[in-house]
Amino acid sequence: MFAAAGAWLVSVILSRVSGDFISRVMGMLGRSADGAVRLEEIRAGSAAALAREDTQRILAVIAAQNGRQAGKMNWPIFWIIILVMLGAPALSIWSVTLYNILWWENGLWPQVARDGSGRLVGWLIADYPPSIKPWVQMSIEWLYDPMGAPTGIGAALIAGKLTSKR
């Protein structure tokens, strides 16, 4: 108990003496012109060191976050969740798409629509479910017409002018 109290007393005395000593040295440096320049160099160096430490800390946090993200992909449950969440919409989209490709009017196995009395009424295309129809439309527009209609027409006109023989 006396050793702990003595250690505490020594640490308090040393902190008081060293803190006072450092402030005296800094005060003496600030009095002369060369000392003021040196003091500014010390301040700039310490600011740069702190900025480097902050940068290193930020880079370490980013590396840890990237590692955590990459680590998720190593677990089979991650891929199971992805397949479960994306499997049903993908199956729905592809089943309707394959139906429209294979069984359309001029497809491999053409289908014709008949009304209630058995008369031919023409071919009808299958439609996507309403819940995923906007996503399918956006993906088709993105895939086949990324520039949009006005830009596509303008590009076609410019290409026609550039490739026409004079």
Side-chain angles (χ1 to χ4, degrees):
M1 181 163 148
F2 291 115
W8 176 79
L9 186 60
V10 169
S11 68
V12 169
I13 291 171
L14 286 177
S15 68
R16 297 279 185 199
V17 170
S18 64
D20 191 38
F21 176 74
I22 291 173
S23 64
R24 285 183 188 170
V25 169
M26 298 292 270
M28 286 180 6
L29 278 176
R31 289 185 194 144
S32 68
D34 291 338
V37 169
R38 180 67 183 138
L39 193 57
E40 286 302 317
E41 288 175 0
I42 292 171
R43 284 186 183 135
S46 63
L50 288 174
R52 279 193 302 275
E53 287 177 11
D54 287 343
T55 303
Q56 291 298 326
R57 192 176 307 116
I58 290 169
L59 290 176
V61 167
I62 291 171
Q65 290 173 345
N66 288 343
R68 189 172 56 245
Q69 285 294 103
K72 280 196 277 189
M73 295 182 157
N74 293 333
W75 293 90
I77 191 70
F78 173 79
W79 295 107
I80 291 170
I81 291 171
I82 293 293
L83 289 175
V84 167
M85 297 305 290
L86 296 178
L91 181 65
S92 177
I93 289 171
W94 280 105
S95 62
V96 172
T97 302
L98 284 176
Y99 176 82
N100 288 335
I101 291 171
L102 298 176
W103 287 282
W104 69 298
E105 209 168 16
N106 298 318
L108 294 175
W109 302 287
Q111 302 288 312
V112 289
R114 297 183 184 271
D115 63 3
S117 63
R119 292 182 316 198
L120 295 175
V121 291
W123 174 75
L124 300 173
I125 190 168
D127 201 6
Y128 294 100
S131 60
I132 60 173
K133 191 171 184 173
W135 296 100
V136 172
Q137 287 175 342
M138 286 188 292
S139 65
I140 290 172
E141 288 172 3
W142 177 82
L143 186 61
Y144 295 110
D145 191 19
M147 296 185 294
T151 309
I153 293 169
L157 291 173
I158 292 170
K161 287 286 188 186
L162 292 175
T163 57
S164 67
K165 296 185 180 181
R166 296 175 193 183

